[in-house]
Amino acid sequence: MKKNINAIILAAGKGTRMKSEQPKVLHEILGKTLLGYVLDAVNKTDLIEKSFVIVGHQAEDVSKFVTENYKTASTVLQSPQLGTGHAVSMVCPELENFEGEILILCGDAPLITEETLKKFIEFHKNKKSDLTVMSTVYENPTNYGRIIRDGDNLTAIVEEKDASPAQKKIKEVNAGIYCLNWQKIKPVFSKLTNNNSQGEYYLTDIISWGVKCDFNINVYLLEDNEEVLGINSKADLAEATKLLNQKTINKHLENGVMIVDPVTTWISADTQIGSDTVIYPSVYVTGKNKIGKNCHIGPFAHIRGGVELGDNVKIGNFVEVKKSKIASNTNACHLTYIGDSEIGSDVNVGAGTITANYNHFTKAKSKTVIKNGASIGSNSVLVAPVEIGEQAVIGAGTVVTKNVENKALAVARVPMKIIENYVKS
Ligand code: UD1
Ligand code: MG
């Protein structure tokens, strides 16, 4: 069914205040890029037909990220980057004949949720609005555009750098999310000027234009100001990471996951965890993962994304797991690296086991398979690609370079000698 709403996501800016070689929107929070959060929230609403991501600064990297990960999104180049209003105008040719609503978001505000976007769009539709702006209130509104009202009516948005001392005191700010009746608002983009302190074409100037044209303009005031935190510096990035983590941890605690120390535990938003699992202090979980019920994770464990754990799995201290499936009742309790692996149920992975998955010269990653019931002795290296059969036993200290049959013992070590009276005294 045609949804009649498209999204424009602004992601072309340099992000000067990040002081980074990397494009701002590709900075990550717990393994996912800022732009990824925004695109995921948009897609999860299930209301958006297509997203246009405006790219400019390091356009190649940002475009690659979008096209590799999001089928419903395409990129539009803005070069040079002359401001947020200029950025949106880049899509005008593509949307020449589009009739419907346009949702605009900033790629640097990753904490927005699909629930809020849905309510925002519904509000816009119920009000039969031509132009709806999302606002919120910050005790410290520095750096945000201020919402200027005449009575209840929005009359303009004034940027921090253009604001008078009186305007700077206003705590209601522009969240950077807008919904437009495209056919009505589109002509405004050709009228924007760059007559302001930054010499930029501001998107926010569509408000004062809309007022002049007597359009139906509305403000949607968002109570939870944390959702629209814009990331402009590394300090903002650290704050957003902390806020998102707290929300994620609270959700898991409500769902019956025990998190012993919420302060030192980091869990990505895309990690599912079953009830009665216990997460011990100083655990760091990034990317997309699925952890079963009644598992014990940590203390000091690192789960790096693409990890699926069954029920009753133990991942203990100083264990790192990446892109691996581990079935129920398997333990890897101490000092282990498991990467690109598939491990069956009832396996014991001894302390100090390493899956050697990476060829430094070819950059190739290879897979380790460990079948049900196998026992991997401590300090073993499993050189991938390699397969360990069901109930096979790997002797402690073995470097495994060949597949091991079911129920076989593989052991490779220099025979131990005892030299008596070695110490002369
Ligand atoms: C912007 C808003 C401000 C709002 C704040 C919310 C304007 C003029 N100001 O300010 O009112 O309170 O967001 O977070 O819109 N970008 C482009 N092309 C450009 C310039 C920017 O695509 O030429 C993109 C950036 O990559 C970024 C987004 O637009 O994702 C916002 O730009 P940014 O420079 O961060 O604007 P703010 O100062 O945060
Ligand atoms: Mg910003």
Side-chain angles (χ1 to χ4, degrees), residues 10-13 17 24 78 81-84 87 106-108 144-145 157 159 174-176 202 204 230 232:
L10 306 183
R17 292 164 279 180
K24 173 161 76 172
Q78 182 202 15
Q81 295 90 47
L82 302 178
T84 48
C106 292
D108 68 345
Y144 289 89
I157 295 173
E159 291 306 296
N174 169 26
Y202 289 162
T204 42
N232 294 314

mmCIF file of all heavy atoms in Angstrom, residues 10-13 17 24 78 81-84 87 106-108 144-145 157 159 174-176 202 204 230 232, ligand 1:
data_model
loop_
_atom_site.group_PDB
_atom_site.id
_atom_site.type_symbol
_atom_site.label_atom_id
_atom_site.label_comp_id
_atom_site.label_asym_id
_atom_site.label_seq_id
_atom_site.Cartn_x
_atom_site.Cartn_y
_atom_site.Cartn_z
ATOM 1 N N LEU A 10 18.814 14.768 7.272
ATOM 2 C CA LEU A 10 19.944 15.653 6.991
ATOM 3 C C LEU A 10 21.226 15.068 7.569
ATOM 4 O O LEU A 10 21.329 14.860 8.775
ATOM 5 C CB LEU A 10 19.690 17.030 7.606
ATOM 6 C CG LEU A 10 18.363 17.691 7.213
ATOM 7 C CD1 LEU A 10 18.263 19.075 7.831
ATOM 8 C CD2 LEU A 10 18.232 17.771 5.708
ATOM 9 N N ALA A 11 22.163 14.793 6.688
ATOM 10 C CA ALA A 11 23.384 14.118 7.153
ATOM 11 C C ALA A 11 24.600 14.594 6.375
ATOM 12 O O ALA A 11 25.574 13.869 6.231
ATOM 13 C CB ALA A 11 23.212 12.613 7.017
ATOM 14 N N ALA A 12 24.557 15.831 5.856
ATOM 15 C CA ALA A 12 25.643 16.291 4.992
ATOM 16 C C ALA A 12 26.655 17.164 5.720
ATOM 17 O O ALA A 12 27.741 17.413 5.210
ATOM 18 C CB ALA A 12 25.069 17.064 3.810
ATOM 19 N N GLY A 13 26.287 17.626 6.905
ATOM 20 C CA GLY A 13 27.132 18.599 7.609
ATOM 21 C C GLY A 13 28.469 18.008 8.024
ATOM 22 O O GLY A 13 28.643 16.798 8.130
ATOM 23 N N ARG A 17 32.225 20.584 15.271
ATOM 24 C CA ARG A 17 32.410 20.545 16.727
ATOM 25 C C ARG A 17 32.779 19.156 17.255
ATOM 26 O O ARG A 17 33.152 19.003 18.401
ATOM 27 C CB ARG A 17 31.125 21.058 17.407
ATOM 28 C CG ARG A 17 30.867 22.534 17.184
ATOM 29 C CD ARG A 17 29.434 22.950 17.509
ATOM 30 N NE ARG A 17 28.494 22.643 16.425
ATOM 31 C CZ ARG A 17 27.197 22.903 16.445
ATOM 32 N NH1 ARG A 17 26.662 23.453 17.533
ATOM 33 N NH2 ARG A 17 26.413 22.605 15.428
ATOM 34 N N LYS A 24 30.226 13.095 11.129
ATOM 35 C CA LYS A 24 29.518 13.086 12.424
ATOM 36 C C LYS A 24 28.493 11.960 12.505
ATOM 37 O O LYS A 24 28.432 11.238 13.500
ATOM 38 C CB LYS A 24 28.831 14.439 12.643
ATOM 39 C CG LYS A 24 27.940 14.454 13.865
ATOM 40 C CD LYS A 24 27.631 15.837 14.369
ATOM 41 C CE LYS A 24 26.613 16.580 13.558
ATOM 42 N NZ LYS A 24 26.225 17.849 14.207
ATOM 43 N N GLN A 78 24.596 16.912 -1.423
ATOM 44 C CA GLN A 78 24.573 18.371 -1.225
ATOM 45 C C GLN A 78 26.025 18.856 -1.214
ATOM 46 O O GLN A 78 26.772 18.577 -0.268
ATOM 47 C CB GLN A 78 23.903 18.717 0.117
ATOM 48 C CG GLN A 78 23.814 20.216 0.363
ATOM 49 C CD GLN A 78 23.673 20.567 1.839
ATOM 50 O OE1 GLN A 78 23.914 19.749 2.720
ATOM 51 N NE2 GLN A 78 23.276 21.796 2.107
ATOM 52 N N GLN A 81 27.957 22.419 1.214
ATOM 53 C CA GLN A 81 26.919 22.380 2.250
ATOM 54 C C GLN A 81 26.640 23.801 2.742
ATOM 55 O O GLN A 81 27.426 24.371 3.465
ATOM 56 C CB GLN A 81 27.361 21.494 3.414
ATOM 57 C CG GLN A 81 27.530 20.033 3.033
ATOM 58 C CD GLN A 81 28.932 19.697 2.555
ATOM 59 O OE1 GLN A 81 29.904 20.075 3.182
ATOM 60 N NE2 GLN A 81 29.037 18.990 1.440
ATOM 61 N N LEU A 82 25.507 24.307 2.298
ATOM 62 C CA LEU A 82 25.219 25.723 2.573
ATOM 63 C C LEU A 82 24.141 25.912 3.634
ATOM 64 O O LEU A 82 23.539 26.972 3.717
ATOM 65 C CB LEU A 82 24.808 26.431 1.273
ATOM 66 C CG LEU A 82 25.826 26.381 0.127
ATOM 67 C CD1 LEU A 82 25.288 27.075 -1.114
ATOM 68 C CD2 LEU A 82 27.152 27.019 0.554
ATOM 69 N N GLY A 83 23.882 24.879 4.407
ATOM 70 C CA GLY A 83 22.910 25.020 5.494
ATOM 71 C C GLY A 83 21.776 24.011 5.387
ATOM 72 O O GLY A 83 21.601 23.342 4.357
ATOM 73 N N THR A 84 20.999 23.913 6.466
ATOM 74 C CA THR A 84 19.966 22.870 6.540
ATOM 75 C C THR A 84 18.823 23.097 5.538
ATOM 76 O O THR A 84 18.260 22.133 5.012
ATOM 77 C CB THR A 84 19.389 22.772 7.970
ATOM 78 O OG1 THR A 84 19.077 24.100 8.430
ATOM 79 C CG2 THR A 84 20.377 22.147 8.936
ATOM 80 N N ALA A 87 20.067 22.068 2.243
ATOM 81 C CA ALA A 87 20.131 20.594 2.214
ATOM 82 C C ALA A 87 18.787 20.012 1.758
ATOM 83 O O ALA A 87 18.738 19.166 0.852
ATOM 84 C CB ALA A 87 20.505 20.058 3.590
ATOM 85 N N CYS A 106 17.001 15.209 11.630
ATOM 86 C CA CYS A 106 18.443 15.429 11.567
ATOM 87 C C CYS A 106 19.147 14.107 11.861
ATOM 88 O O CYS A 106 18.782 13.400 12.807
ATOM 89 C CB CYS A 106 18.874 16.466 12.597
ATOM 90 S SG CYS A 106 18.267 18.102 12.205
ATOM 91 N N GLY A 107 20.163 13.810 11.070
ATOM 92 C CA GLY A 107 20.911 12.571 11.276
ATOM 93 C C GLY A 107 21.756 12.593 12.532
ATOM 94 O O GLY A 107 22.367 11.583 12.880
ATOM 95 N N ASP A 108 21.799 13.732 13.224
ATOM 96 C CA ASP A 108 22.645 13.805 14.429
ATOM 97 C C ASP A 108 21.820 13.795 15.712
ATOM 98 O O ASP A 108 22.310 14.164 16.774
ATOM 99 C CB ASP A 108 23.561 15.040 14.376
ATOM 100 C CG ASP A 108 22.802 16.357 14.499
ATOM 101 O OD1 ASP A 108 21.563 16.370 14.341
ATOM 102 O OD2 ASP A 108 23.459 17.389 14.756
ATOM 103 N N TYR A 144 20.680 25.401 20.667
ATOM 104 C CA TYR A 144 19.473 25.038 19.910
ATOM 105 C C TYR A 144 18.789 26.292 19.374
ATOM 106 O O TYR A 144 18.931 27.386 19.933
ATOM 107 C CB TYR A 144 18.482 24.286 20.805
ATOM 108 C CG TYR A 144 18.936 22.892 21.152
ATOM 109 C CD1 TYR A 144 19.714 22.656 22.271
ATOM 110 C CD2 TYR A 144 18.577 21.809 20.353
ATOM 111 C CE1 TYR A 144 20.136 21.372 22.600
ATOM 112 C CE2 TYR A 144 18.991 20.520 20.667
ATOM 113 C CZ TYR A 144 19.769 20.306 21.792
ATOM 114 O OH TYR A 144 20.181 19.044 22.105
ATOM 115 N N GLY A 145 18.011 26.117 18.301
ATOM 116 C CA GLY A 145 17.162 27.204 17.804
ATOM 117 C C GLY A 145 16.017 27.425 18.791
ATOM 118 O O GLY A 145 15.469 26.465 19.335
ATOM 119 N N ILE A 157 11.680 30.573 14.262
ATOM 120 C CA ILE A 157 12.715 29.891 15.038
ATOM 121 C C ILE A 157 13.976 30.720 14.859
ATOM 122 O O ILE A 157 14.348 31.064 13.725
ATOM 123 C CB ILE A 157 12.939 28.445 14.540
ATOM 124 C CG1 ILE A 157 11.676 27.618 14.783
ATOM 125 C CG2 ILE A 157 14.138 27.810 15.234
ATOM 126 C CD1 ILE A 157 11.729 26.215 14.186
ATOM 127 N N GLU A 159 18.035 30.985 15.630
ATOM 128 C CA GLU A 159 19.216 30.216 16.023
ATOM 129 C C GLU A 159 19.975 30.924 17.149
ATOM 130 O O GLU A 159 19.962 32.159 17.246
ATOM 131 C CB GLU A 159 20.140 30.035 14.809
ATOM 132 C CG GLU A 159 19.565 29.130 13.742
ATOM 133 C CD GLU A 159 19.157 27.767 14.282
ATOM 134 O OE1 GLU A 159 20.027 27.016 14.739
ATOM 135 O OE2 GLU A 159 17.946 27.447 14.263
ATOM 136 N N ASN A 174 13.825 24.235 19.189
ATOM 137 C CA ASN A 174 13.495 23.452 18.000
ATOM 138 C C ASN A 174 14.192 22.091 18.095
ATOM 139 O O ASN A 174 15.416 22.024 18.201
ATOM 140 C CB ASN A 174 13.993 24.230 16.769
ATOM 141 C CG ASN A 174 13.954 23.402 15.504
ATOM 142 O OD1 ASN A 174 13.164 22.466 15.397
ATOM 143 N ND2 ASN A 174 14.785 23.756 14.538
ATOM 144 N N ALA A 175 13.419 21.014 18.040
ATOM 145 C CA ALA A 175 13.992 19.667 18.136
ATOM 146 C C ALA A 175 14.617 19.231 16.816
ATOM 147 O O ALA A 175 15.311 18.214 16.769
ATOM 148 C CB ALA A 175 12.903 18.682 18.555
ATOM 149 N N GLY A 176 14.349 19.947 15.738
ATOM 150 C CA GLY A 176 14.946 19.585 14.445
ATOM 151 C C GLY A 176 14.147 18.529 13.693
ATOM 152 O O GLY A 176 14.658 17.898 12.780
ATOM 153 N N TYR A 202 18.990 28.567 6.296
ATOM 154 C CA TYR A 202 18.433 27.828 7.428
ATOM 155 C C TYR A 202 17.091 27.192 7.056
ATOM 156 O O TYR A 202 16.189 27.877 6.552
ATOM 157 C CB TYR A 202 18.133 28.776 8.591
ATOM 158 C CG TYR A 202 19.306 29.367 9.333
ATOM 159 C CD1 TYR A 202 19.097 30.500 10.132
ATOM 160 C CD2 TYR A 202 20.585 28.816 9.290
ATOM 161 C CE1 TYR A 202 20.123 31.071 10.866
ATOM 162 C CE2 TYR A 202 21.625 29.383 10.025
ATOM 163 C CZ TYR A 202 21.395 30.507 10.800
ATOM 164 O OH TYR A 202 22.400 31.074 11.529
ATOM 165 N N THR A 204 15.085 26.412 9.284
ATOM 166 C CA THR A 204 14.172 26.990 10.282
ATOM 167 C C THR A 204 13.461 28.251 9.758
ATOM 168 O O THR A 204 12.427 28.638 10.285
ATOM 169 C CB THR A 204 14.981 27.333 11.542
ATOM 170 O OG1 THR A 204 16.228 27.923 11.128
ATOM 171 C CG2 THR A 204 15.297 26.074 12.316
ATOM 172 N N GLY A 230 20.554 16.669 20.323
ATOM 173 C CA GLY A 230 21.350 16.714 19.093
ATOM 174 C C GLY A 230 22.816 16.512 19.444
ATOM 175 O O GLY A 230 23.321 17.096 20.404
ATOM 176 N N ASN A 232 26.412 17.279 18.810
ATOM 177 C CA ASN A 232 27.289 18.207 18.101
ATOM 178 C C ASN A 232 28.739 18.092 18.557
ATOM 179 O O ASN A 232 29.631 18.632 17.910
ATOM 180 C CB ASN A 232 26.788 19.639 18.291
ATOM 181 C CG ASN A 232 25.432 19.837 17.626
ATOM 182 O OD1 ASN A 232 25.224 19.426 16.491
ATOM 183 N ND2 ASN A 232 24.488 20.413 18.341
HETATM 184 C C1 UD1 B 1 19.796 22.597 13.981
HETATM 185 C C2 UD1 B 1 18.678 23.630 13.853
HETATM 186 C C3 UD1 B 1 18.295 24.114 15.272
HETATM 187 C C4 UD1 B 1 17.857 22.910 16.099
HETATM 188 C C5 UD1 B 1 18.923 21.818 16.105
HETATM 189 C C6 UD1 B 1 18.354 20.533 16.720
HETATM 190 C C7 UD1 B 1 18.950 24.860 11.741
HETATM 191 C C8 UD1 B 1 19.421 26.103 11.103
HETATM 192 N N1 UD1 B 1 19.144 24.760 13.057
HETATM 193 O O1 UD1 B 1 20.921 23.232 14.578
HETATM 194 O O2 UD1 B 1 17.230 25.058 15.186
HETATM 195 O O3 UD1 B 1 17.562 23.344 17.417
HETATM 196 O O4 UD1 B 1 19.335 21.485 14.769
HETATM 197 O O5 UD1 B 1 19.341 19.555 16.886
HETATM 198 O O6 UD1 B 1 18.400 23.988 11.067
HETATM 199 N N2 UD1 B 1 23.314 19.519 7.636
HETATM 200 C C9 UD1 B 1 23.265 19.250 6.274
HETATM 201 N N3 UD1 B 1 23.694 20.205 5.391
HETATM 202 C C10 UD1 B 1 24.144 21.422 5.812
HETATM 203 C C11 UD1 B 1 24.172 21.684 7.202
HETATM 204 C C12 UD1 B 1 23.744 20.716 8.091
HETATM 205 O O7 UD1 B 1 22.860 18.156 5.855
HETATM 206 O O8 UD1 B 1 24.505 22.216 4.947
HETATM 207 C C13 UD1 B 1 22.843 18.452 8.578
HETATM 208 C C14 UD1 B 1 23.899 18.053 9.601
HETATM 209 O O9 UD1 B 1 24.664 16.967 9.107
HETATM 210 C C15 UD1 B 1 23.057 17.651 10.810
HETATM 211 C C16 UD1 B 1 21.779 18.464 10.657
HETATM 212 O O10 UD1 B 1 21.758 18.950 9.319
HETATM 213 O O11 UD1 B 1 22.715 16.282 10.784
HETATM 214 C C17 UD1 B 1 21.738 19.668 11.615
HETATM 215 O O12 UD1 B 1 22.889 20.458 11.390
HETATM 216 P P1 UD1 B 1 23.710 21.070 12.601
HETATM 217 O O13 UD1 B 1 24.840 21.846 12.056
HETATM 218 O O14 UD1 B 1 23.991 20.036 13.616
HETATM 219 O O15 UD1 B 1 22.634 22.124 13.150
HETATM 220 P P2 UD1 B 1 22.414 22.585 14.651
HETATM 221 O O16 UD1 B 1 23.356 23.693 14.956
HETATM 222 O O17 UD1 B 1 22.437 21.434 15.566
#
